[in-house]
Amino acid sequence: MTRKKAHIISHSHWDREWFLPLESLRFRLVTLMDEVEDLLDKEAGFNHFHMDGQMIMLEDYLAVKPGKREKMKQLVADGKLRIGPWYMLQDAFLTSGEANIRNLQYGLEMAEEFGQAEKIGYFPDTFGLYGQVPQLMRQAGFDTVVFGRGVNPTGFNNQVFDSAFASKYSEMFWESPDGSKVLGILLANWYSNGNEIPTDKEAAKIFWDKKLADVERFASTDEWLFMNGCDHQPVQTDLAEALEVARELYPEIDFIHSHFEKYQDAVKAGLEPEKLQTVHGELTSQQSDGWSTLANTASSRIYLKQANAKIERLLERLAEPISVMATEAGVSYPHEYLAFAWKLLMENQIHDSITGCSLDEVHREMEARFEKVEQTTMAIIQNAARKITEQIVTNDAGIPITVFHAGGVEATRTVELELETDAIHFSEMHFELIPDELAKLPEQSFRMETSNGEEIPVVVEPLGIHFNYDLPERKFRDSYFARKYKLTFTVEHLPAVGYQTIYAHPVAVSDDEKELTGDLQLENQYLKVEIAPNGTYSILDKEKAVEVAGLGAYEDVGDIGNEYMFKETGDNLRINTYTSKPEIRVLREDKLGKTIEIKHEIEIPVSASATFAEEKRRLVWHPDRTSHRSENRTTFKITTELTLNKHDKQLTVRVKLDNQVDDHRLRVLLPTGKQTETHQAGSVFEVVTRANKQVEEWTNPANDNRKQGFVTSGNIVVASLDLPEYEVSEQGDRLELTLLRAVSEIGDWGDFPAYEAECHREITAEFHVFLTDESSVNVPAQVTALLTPTFAIQHPSSSKEKILADTKDFAKWKVADGLVFSAFKLAKDNQPIIRFYQTASEPKLLNTVNLWRKSTILEETAGDAKNQFTVKPNEIITLKGV
């Protein structure tokens, strides 16, 4: 009989900021790390310390004690300090696929600088896991994943269900949709099941009798895992003594102060594969009561999700691709600066940060970080774009403007740009005289055209005379005044990944602007939108001959949950706009398209009732709360703008709120046109199919889910970057999209107020609706392109040699339907990288003009150089240039 082995892994799960702000926790971190160093140096029985799988923990320590860097490297090299593979422990569903990859890339890079990374996929407290984790881990060279949530048994209750989403054992196989498989190890008794081990024999006997039985209940091998630590847990300084006591009490068991690589090797050696279940795809505790899936973190502090999504797209779709394009203008690819921007963004993507489930102080600091990373990212974009435009060969006539796009497919987009003309520099005239001199000039407008002379429709708005300045490379700031105009124009046939240059020609002002007709419908060659008196609208897709009516009502409900979880008030008081009579008017109508404004005013309770405060004070668990909504009411205003431009195949909906109301949730209600049993949603490198009806064990009245990019049910597709929470009815005939959720506490085990989570602020939410039929294989690629930002820049004056074409498509590849573009960047060796993922149900071809080699997500190549690749269903394919 083999001996049972108890692997004790010392660690501290380090939530960088949560119920305490960053600097309060950093102080504890420094103390922790100093004690860990002392133990690893001096305590014979204390051999290893696990750094929670994230490099930012070490980075934060060294920011205070930079002189400890070499000592940390020594401890890593000796195998005592176990670091990596992540830069930080992210939320899986609220961060993009590319952000997840950069997190692993930068984490491994940093770990290797210190000596070595612990090669295990570590997800101790990620709020559910996307289905492509096994594929990403396999591509990174990992074959084992350790995780804490998503499969029953989970967390504290240790429930076991016999289903496809549960496992009899803490060990299982986990398979991605493409067939990639890893060994999954569930922290079935949580990551604190070996915490605070007693040294007193009597107490140790009580402790170990329970802990050993708990682990044996789920372990499929004789290798048992005990996690010696918890959230922000100080290191157990007498652990060596505690383990000696355990060895004396249980001589039949080997108690090993271990680390994850040693533990996983031992588990794999003792596995009986035929005993294990295989779980498939995403892990979101589907087979549970539904109260602890934490899906509602997707709607807590929605403003954080909006900022994160915006900056992810700026980095992925503009900063990285335009930086590649700029290398043709002789500009070095900014590897270090892009890493700086990504890491700064990742500080906000940690699972207790981007989820919006921390203290107000934490999230205030996050907003400042978002501002910083946006400034950083825009500096990269603007510099690269300027360097390119300085060298573009242009026509002599007109003001050249270059529009950059990297959506992966050719696109038609409506673009806004502030254009300057007639600049007079301070070196030319005394600055006090310049505004008056510019005011003498006649009014003007602009005609726009492509380089081939094709006219581009444009709407011009004069913005007056403004101060500005240039920052020359070798001189001080060069100040000037200029006339400024806002140009809104539609550009057709934008390159899939590249740029197009167009020209603005000054012309005399004319009176040809279209007047408002007052006709309360929107129509172009693709769609017809009609607005009902109650503010709902119907969409007819002329090409597909599909129509859906009754879209766009709003529903407000009380919420006595917390930042983690929604819980409706006990009175079930729901207020909707179906019988309202909003003010409806044409807001804008011009040659580009039309916008209709709908203004609702509804009377809703100002908050939950007074009994809610007592429920919070007494720490009543959220499913058991019963407070009603307050009898006091206030007017809540919802302003909706429906926009359909000339070339749009989707209706753009913008909703403006000024929320001063507490304890509630606002959703937009969208009928889907037909009943279904399942629906599909965008996720990390995949489109996941989800059942509308939950399992028998599910007792939560809500069935909220998370999406990335889009959700489709019946005949509608709803696309948005920054509204990740939705719910589909059991019949599939209604989709509800969360616009706002206002709550007042963190919701962890304790009284942790977070009043700013009530979101008393102006919020603008935007989403797109288009219709689909049965053939929707192209939806993911269409949504990716639709949600890709463009960047337009007026050419600077330049004496540099003009060598670049005025229009260029860098997408030297052709993809079949179902392939979705994901990345265009440079690897560390400056070779180009492109990435796609496959959403079709059969293999597809990816043809390229140039030769490429297949690569891993870590940009390590394997195989021969070629220009045709077969991409299997659900495969993530990365190619590296030769």
Side-chain angles (χ1 to χ4, degrees), residues 382-451:
Q382 290 164 349
N383 178 68
R386 182 183 177 92
K387 296 294 186 183
I388 292 169
T389 53
E390 283 178 340
Q391 298 183 44
I392 288 177
V393 178
T394 61
N395 297 339
D396 292 334
I399 302 167
I401 297 164
T402 295
V403 182
F404 293 86
H405 173 257
V409 296
E410 186 181 276
T412 296
R413 300 296 297 273
T414 298
V415 179
E416 291 184 358
L417 170 75
E418 290 189 356
L419 183 77
E420 291 182 336
T421 67
D422 307 306
I424 301 178
H425 291 257
F426 288 12
S427 58
E428 301 173 69
M429 183 182 294
H430 193 282
F431 67 87
E432 293 180 347
L433 303 176
I434 298 174
D436 290 339
E437 188 67 21
L438 289 172
K440 298 176 185 177
L441 297 175
E443 293 183 19
Q444 66 179 14
S445 186
F446 296 89
R447 175 176 55 82
M448 299 193 72
E449 60 182 32
T450 68
S451 57

Side-chain angles (χ1 to χ4, degrees), residues 109 205 261 298 324 338 397 486 548 554 672 708 760 818 835:
E109 211 171 273
K205 184 72 167 59
E261 287 191 2
V324 178
L338 282 165
K486 178 184 174 183
V548 177
Y554 297 96
T672 68
Q708 287 201 0
H760 288 181
R835 183 160 32 252

